[in-house]
């Protein structure tokens, strides 16, 4: 039997519902309002403190304020990014940003050497000389000790800054004083060499590929190296990603695409802080018919970690060495009005197996752990026979 509800009761229920809705809305509105006000208050306090410091410096600092006034904007930008406590987010001046873009898109121009500072020997050493480079033409060799650059004596505090002279503007000159067998020589070398990101060789019938970074050119350089191996009847390849961190996730994905088959699903996806997919990376090429091993260590970072992780999961490549750094994020460049830029971490990269938790922060574990007998930074000074990690990969592939 149906009961009728009186008009008065019905009206009362409507009023109660409206009042409840209004009350709930007001609670949430108050929370949002308080959050906004708190944020505005924080910002205001920060700006007031910055202005107070600026006023005190301007009024009382005993010294020249020209550098202060010229560099204040850049220093503030650096400060904003530095408090994120993320080593992969940073500020670049207009000149640094211009060089960064040029390197990613067109490769790096240099004299054709790689260097390291050996703390055990207290020496700045050439670790690698590229074939066909101006450095090779001028007679520089791996193992030479650089004692001065452009007439500035090298020490453990300035070697990194001085090494920047080995790269840069095309046709620029750099004077290098070096020592070999207790004999000191001086050469002047020109920056005209397009430094490759892929260096290939053959070791005991096995292909060897060292990738120093993932730039726009890496995809084609890698394809050329693997094609040459295939023509020479090689069926196994070692990728050396030790100490590799440069480049972008997008260019690493293109390099992976060269190696792996056209697969269903994705190479990787990038997800923002809300868990939304912001970019998807897929494979379209046909695979090269090789068996692979990948050399990794604690300085294998970011794009190189994705390369190693996906080759393990898609091509069952053996990872040999030690665990990687654990930088499983993607960065994006944001241009600023004055020509400078900031690079910010904007997404987590989820590799093929979907295990982002292992990839980021923790690192990619080797399938065969082999510890190097030397400091990781000095690996290039070892011969093939002296390199335990490399020879472990060679021996493993010979057995397959």
């Amino acid at each position: 039997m149906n009961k009728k509800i009186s008009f008065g009761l019905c009206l009362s229920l409507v009023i109660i519902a409206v009042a409840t809705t209004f009350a709930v809305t007001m609670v949430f509105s108050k929370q949002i309002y308080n959050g906004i006000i708190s944020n505005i208050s924080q910002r205001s306090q920060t700006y007031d403190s910055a202005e107070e410091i600026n006023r005190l410096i301007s009024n009382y600092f005993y010294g020249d304020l020209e550098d202060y006034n010229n560099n204040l904007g850049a220093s503030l930008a650096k400060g904003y990014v530095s408090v994120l406590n993320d080593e992969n987010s940073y500020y670049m001046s207009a000149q640094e940003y211009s060089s960064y873009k040029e390197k990613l898109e067109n490769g790096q121009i240099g004299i054709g050497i790689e260097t390291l500072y050996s703390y055990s020997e207290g020496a700045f050493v050439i670790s690698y000389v590229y074939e066909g480079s101006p450095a090779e033409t001028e007679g520089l060799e791996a193992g030479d000790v650089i004692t001065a650059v452009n007439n500035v004596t090298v020490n453990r505090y300035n070697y990194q800054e001085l090494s920047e002279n080995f790269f840069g503007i095309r046709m620029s000159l750099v004077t290098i004083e070096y020592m070999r067998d207790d004999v000191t020589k001086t050469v002047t070398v020109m920056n005209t060499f397009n430094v490759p990101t892929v260096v290939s060789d053959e070791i005991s019938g096995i292909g060897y590929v060292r990738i120093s970074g993932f730039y726009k050119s890496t995809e084609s350089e890698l394809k050329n190296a693997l094609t040459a191996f295939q023509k020479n009847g090689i069926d196994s390849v070692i990728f050396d990603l030790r100490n590799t961190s440069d480049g972008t996730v997008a260019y690493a994905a293109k390099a992976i695409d060269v190696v792996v088959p056209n697969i269903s699903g994705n190479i990787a996806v990038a997800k923002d802080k809300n868990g939304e997919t912001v970019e998807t990376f897929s494979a379209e090429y046909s695979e090269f018919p090789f068996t692979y091993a990948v050399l990794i260590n604690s300085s294998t970072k970011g794009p190189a970690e994705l390369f190693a992780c996906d080759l393990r999961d898609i091509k069952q490549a053996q990872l040999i060495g030690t665990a990687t750094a654990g930088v499983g994020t993607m960065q994006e460049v944001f241009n600023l009005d004055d020509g400078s830029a900031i690079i910010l971490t904007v997404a987590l990269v989820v590799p093929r197996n979907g295990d982002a938790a292992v990839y980021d922060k923790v690192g990619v574990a080797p399938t065969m752990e082999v510890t190097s007998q030397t400091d990781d930074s000095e690996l290039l000074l070892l011969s093939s026979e002296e390199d335990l990690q490399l020879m472990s990969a060679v021996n493993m592939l010979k057995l397959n």
Side-chain angles (χ1 to χ4, degrees), residues 166-178:
F166 307 146
F167 307 93
I169 302 172
R170 188 179 289 275
M171 305 300 287
S172 60
L173 296 171
V174 56
T175 299
I176 298 174
E177 179 187 274
Y178 68 98

Side-chain angles (χ1 to χ4, degrees), residues 24 38 66 91 99 132 140 162-163 165 176 196 274 320 322 361 392 394:
V24 171
S38 174
E66 183 178 357
Y91 167 84
S99 299
L140 293 173
L162 291 177
S163 68
N165 290 283
I176 298 174
N274 298 316
I320 299 172
T322 55
K361 304 298 183 187
S392 294
V394 169

Side-chain angles (χ1 to χ4, degrees), residues 297-317:
N297 64 9
S298 61
S299 295
T300 303
K301 297 181 180 180
E305 290 180 274
L306 178 62
F307 188 95
C309 192
D310 270 355
L311 256 68
R312 178 196 64 191
D313 297 332
I314 300 172
K315 289 294 295 178
Q316 288 72 55

